[in-house]
Amino acid sequence: MFSRKDLAQLKTRGIPAKTAKEQLSQLEKGFPKMQLLKPATPGDGIQQLTEEELAEYQKFFESNINKLSLLKFVPASGAATRMFKTLYDFLNTYQDTEEDYLKFLSNKEQGTMFQFFENIEEFPFYQDLKNAASESGSEIDKLLQKNQFKQVLALILTKKGLNYGNLPKGLLKFHHYKAGSRTSFEEHIIEALSYCKNSKGNAQLHLTVSEDHKKLFAKQLKICRKQHEEKHQGKVKVSFSVQKASTDTIAATLDNQPYRNEDGTILFRPGGHGALIENLNELKADIIFIKNIDNVVPDRLKEETIHYKKVLGGILLNYQEYIFEYLKILSKSKLIPSEKLNEMLRFTEENLCIQPPENMYYKSREEIVAYLQTILNRPIRVCGMVRNEGEPGGGPFWAKNPDGTISLQIVEGSQIDKEDKKQLQIQEQATHFNPVDLVCGIKDYRGKKFDLRQFIDPNTGFVSVKSQNGNKLKAMELPGLWNGAMSNWNTIFVEVPIITFNPVKTVFDLLRIEHRN
C-alpha cells in the first residue's frame, strides 16, 4: 500500500505507518454513531445551583487557589476567514454599477451589508481602518460617500489595509474602550489575571496557534502585557504551541486509496480540534480552564464570567476531594467494608452520573474494587452548559459507552445517526448546549499527571467528503477535543447563564450589545 517514498513521508510527519493504515480503514468503514439514551436536563444530569451554593463553591475555590497550579488553555489556531464570509461574498460579486447599488439599497430592511456600512463606525477596528485608509492615501468617509464599498472592504480584509481576512480571531479588535480597542487575545489575558493568579500573583495562559501567526501573537503580547499586568496587579506567563503534524490525518479517494498530490505525495489534512488533546497533554498544571478564543466580553460584563469560572473550579475541587479519598482507600486496604464499597458505587452513580454495566452489584468484591479504581482514577472535567437558544454546537446527553457503562457525554451533531428517528428525537429534546466552558483536573490522587491520550474514544471521529482541486476526497477528523477526546473522563454538567457565552462567529456579532461598552 505504501511505497518507500510514502514511508519516508510518514516518518517525516511523525505518523506511524500502522496509524495511516488504520485511518484508511476508518475512512472506508466510517465511524459508529453514538447511542443516545436521553438528553441531560436540569435535575437529570445537569446541576442547577442556588445562590448559596454558588457563593460556597466560589469561596472554596478561592480558599484553595494558593495550593494550586492554574492555567487557562485557549484554542486559537486558524485564520478568521469564515468570520468575514458575507463581506467576501459582497466583495467578489458587487460590481460598482448603479444596478448593484440599487440592489444594495433594497437590502436595507434585511440588514446584511447595508447594516455593515451603516454601522461601520461602531466596529472596534474602525480607528485602525481610518489609519489604514490614510496610509494608502484615501479617507474612509470619502470612500463611503462615493459608494466605493469594495475599496473599503479591501482595506479591511486584505494586505492593502488591516488584512483581517488572513489574521486569526485572537488578533482582531473585539471591544472598544476610551483608551483604545482590544483584541480577543488581550481579553483572555485579562481573564487569566482575574481567576488564574496564584499566591504570587502569577497567571498562566496557553494558546494553540498556527506557525504563521506565532510571531504576530508575540508582538501583540509585547505591546499590551505591561498595561494589563499593572492594572490587574499580576504577571502573566503566556506560552504558545502549534498543532502537531503527527495529528494530521490521511486523505483518501472515494475508492479508499491514499489521495495523492500532483507530485505523488500523500495528502494529509488537519485532524480538527481533537488533535489539540496532544497539546493539552503536554501542559503542567493542577487545574486547566478551557475556553474558545472568540468567547470574550468587555469589562462591564466580565464579573459574571469570572464568578462562574471560580464556581466551576470550586465544584471540581470538591469532587476531587471525594474521589481522591476513595482512591486512597481502594489502594491501601484489601478488606474494605461492603458498606464503604456501596457508598463508592452510589457516588459514581448519583454524583458522577455513571451507570455501571449490568449485574455489577452481583460481581465479586475484587471485580467491584477493580471497577471503582478504573472509574474513579480518571481525569475530571466540570462543564458549564447554557440554555439552548438556537446556537450551533454539541449538547449534553446520557449515552451508552463501549464498556457497557452509561455516562454523561458532550455529543456533536456529526456523531448522531440522522436516519434514526428516535436518536433525532432525543437530540431535539435537548434543553442545553455546550459553550466550551470547561474546568479540568488532569492529575491523579497521587499528584501524577494523567496521560490524556489514554482516555480518548477512538470511535468518535467522523468522515466527510471534501474537494481538492475540483476532485472529491474523503477526509477524517479525530475525536473532538471536548467530546470524543474526553469521552472517558469523569464529567459534571452545571448550568451557567447565557451571558457567559458570547462568541463572535461573524463580524456582525461585534455589533451585538454584549460586545459594546
Side-chain angles (χ1 to χ4, degrees):
M1 179 179 290
F2 295 126
S3 66
R4 287 186 180 179
K5 184 178 177 182
D6 294 337
L7 293 172
Q9 184 186 358
L10 288 167
K11 186 176 181 180
T12 301
R13 302 184 73 89
I15 300 174
K18 180 183 176 184
T19 299
K21 288 179 181 177
E22 288 171 350
Q23 289 179 358
L24 284 171
S25 174
Q26 208 76 63
L27 285 163
E28 181 175 5
K29 66 184 181 182
F31 289 90
K33 298 298 183 180
M34 292 291 289
Q35 293 186 55
L36 305 183
L37 299 181
K38 57 182 176 178
T41 55
D44 189 20
I46 299 178
Q47 297 183 28
Q48 286 181 312
L49 304 178
T50 65
E51 290 298 321
E52 183 179 355
E53 288 171 327
L54 291 169
E56 285 178 359
Y57 281 125
Q58 177 171 346
K59 185 179 179 180
F60 187 61
F61 175 77
E62 291 172 341
S63 67
N64 282 280
I65 201 168
N66 292 338
K67 310 172 192 174
L68 301 167
S69 169
L70 306 173
L71 183 143
K72 181 178 171 69
F73 179 85
V74 181
S77 308
T81 309
R82 282 182 293 180
M83 182 173 160
F84 301 104
K85 182 181 182 303
T86 302
L87 274 60
Y88 273 112
D89 289 344
F90 185 86
L91 181 64
N92 294 329
T93 58
Y94 189 75
Q95 298 298 321
D96 275 332
T97 63
E98 184 176 354
E99 182 182 358
D100 273 8
Y101 179 65
L102 291 174
K103 285 181 182 178
F104 166 76
L105 289 180
S106 70
N107 280 332
K108 241 183 189 182
E109 300 302 320
Q110 300 171 21
T112 61
M113 291 309 300
F114 186 90
Q115 179 194 15
F116 178 82
F117 290 114
E118 189 77 359
N119 294 280
I120 195 166
E121 293 183 16
E122 300 298 319
F123 286 100
F125 53 78
Y126 180 68
Q127 186 58 51
D128 290 347
L129 178 60
K130 285 182 69 175
N131 295 340
S134 179
E135 289 174 11
S136 70
S138 58
E139 296 178 28
I140 288 296
D141 291 344
K142 290 184 178 179
L143 290 175
L144 291 171
Q145 287 170 8
K146 296 177 181 179
N147 302 326
Q148 293 180 321
F149 304 126
K150 295 185 73 167
Q151 289 88 324
V152 174
L153 293 182
L155 285 169
I156 295 171
L157 299 173
T158 72
K159 292 180 180 179
K160 294 179 181 178
L162 305 183
N163 200 29
Y164 267 24
N166 298 303
L167 293 179
K169 283 186 180 180
L171 296 177
L172 307 185
K173 297 288 181 69
F174 267 34
H175 301 136
H176 182 70
Y177 300 89
K178 288 182 180 179
S181 295
R182 285 186 207 148
T183 63
S184 59
F185 174 34
E186 289 178 77
E187 300 291 19
H188 279 288
I189 290 173
I190 293 167
E191 276 199 25
L193 287 165
S194 300
Y195 56 80
C196 280
K197 268 191 308 193
N198 61 18
S199 58
K200 296 179 181 179
N202 298 323
Q204 295 186 81
L205 172 63
H206 183 89
L207 294 92
T208 59
V209 299
S210 71
E211 190 66 53
D212 294 341
H213 298 144
K214 279 177 73 174
K215 288 183 179 179
L216 294 175
F217 272 101
K219 181 180 178 182
Q220 180 62 41
L221 176 63
K222 191 174 181 180
I223 293 170
C224 71
R225 167 186 253 148
K226 187 177 179 180
Q227 59 175 306
H228 298 316
E229 288 182 334
E230 288 178 353
K231 183 177 179 180
H232 296 277
Q233 301 178 340
K235 296 287 184 181
V236 62
K237 178 184 178 182
V238 182
S239 56
F240 304 98
S241 64
V242 176
Q243 190 166 313
K244 297 180 179 181
S246 60
T247 63
D248 290 349
T249 58
I250 193 169
T253 60
L254 296 186
D255 58 355
N256 305 305
Q257 297 302 307
Y259 185 97
R260 298 186 181 277
N261 298 305
E262 290 182 2
D263 62 359
T265 57
I266 298 171
L267 175 68
F268 289 88
R269 297 174 58 87
H273 57 69
L276 300 181
I277 197 70
E278 293 277 354
N279 303 64
L280 189 66
N281 194 48
E282 294 183 349
L283 300 177
K284 296 178 181 179
D286 296 313
I287 305 296
I288 296 180
F289 295 83
I290 300 180
K291 195 178 180 188
N292 277 337
I293 187 66
D294 64 349
N295 183 16
V296 288
V297 290
D299 288 351
R300 66 181 179 83
L301 296 176
K302 279 192 176 69
E303 185 177 346
E304 191 87 341
T305 291
I306 293 164
H307 167 55
Y308 274 91
K309 288 292 180 296
K310 291 180 177 180
V311 167
L312 297 181
I315 293 170
L316 183 130
L317 293 175
N318 179 256
Y319 271 79
Q320 277 189 332
E321 277 196 351
Y322 283 98
I323 291 170
F324 289 175
E325 185 59 34
Y326 287 150
L327 285 168
K328 287 174 185 175
I329 294 171
L330 290 167
S331 66
K332 290 180 180 179
S333 177
K334 293 182 179 179
L335 297 173
I336 305 169
S338 297
E339 297 79 19
K340 198 65 180 178
L341 287 177
N342 287 332
E343 177 189 321
M344 295 182 194
L345 285 168
R346 284 197 303 273
F347 178 82
T348 62
E349 286 198 57
E350 296 172 9
N351 297 83
L352 295 180
C353 297
I354 300 170
Q355 296 179 18
E358 290 183 18
N359 301 321
M360 174 53 64
Y361 287 90
Y362 299 100
K363 300 282 186 181
S364 69
R365 179 181 294 270
E366 291 75 16
E367 288 175 309
I368 291 174
V369 168
Y371 168 78
L372 286 168
Q373 287 177 320
T374 300
I375 290 297
L376 292 173
N377 199 28
R378 309 196 294 189
I380 183 172
R381 58 178 177 162
V382 180
C383 312
M385 291 290 159
V386 298
R387 285 276 175 181
N388 200 333
E389 295 188 0
E391 296 279 359
F397 294 91
W398 292 85
K400 189 167 185 179
N401 304 308
D403 63 0
T405 61
I406 292 168
S407 68
L408 298 177
Q409 298 287 348
I410 295 172
V411 182
E412 301 286 343
S414 60
Q415 296 176 269
I416 297 171
D417 186 352
K418 298 295 192 297
E419 297 181 5
D420 188 322
K421 291 183 180 179
K422 187 176 180 181
Q423 292 291 290
L424 285 175
Q425 187 178 31
I426 293 172
Q427 181 187 19
E428 291 166 1
Q429 291 170 348
T431 59
H432 291 65
F433 75 96
N434 167 42
V436 188
D437 188 357
L438 287 75
V439 185
C440 305
I442 62 168
K443 291 183 179 179
D444 67 16
Y445 69 103
R446 298 161 297 182
K448 183 181 178 182
K449 193 177 77 65
F450 288 109
D451 180 354
L452 303 181
R453 297 169 299 184
Q454 302 302 313
F455 300 90
I456 299 169
D457 181 352
N459 289 318
T460 54
F462 70 91
V463 176
S464 58
V465 176
K466 302 287 185 180
S467 179
Q468 179 84 3
N469 299 325
N471 300 314
K472 289 185 177 181
L473 58 82
K474 286 184 178 181
M476 171 180 153
E477 285 207 17
L478 299 171
L481 181 60
W482 36 81
N483 43 304
M486 295 182 176
S487 181
N488 294 319
W489 291 38
N490 285 325
T491 299
I492 297 100
F493 292 149
V494 180
E495 184 178 78
V496 296
I498 191 70
I499 194 62
T500 62
F501 179 62
N502 289 283
V504 176
K505 298 305 180 187
T506 77
V507 67
F508 297 96
D509 287 333
L510 293 174
L511 296 177
R512 289 165 54 185
I513 189 65
E514 292 85 1
H515 289 287
R516 299 200 195 192
N517 265 312

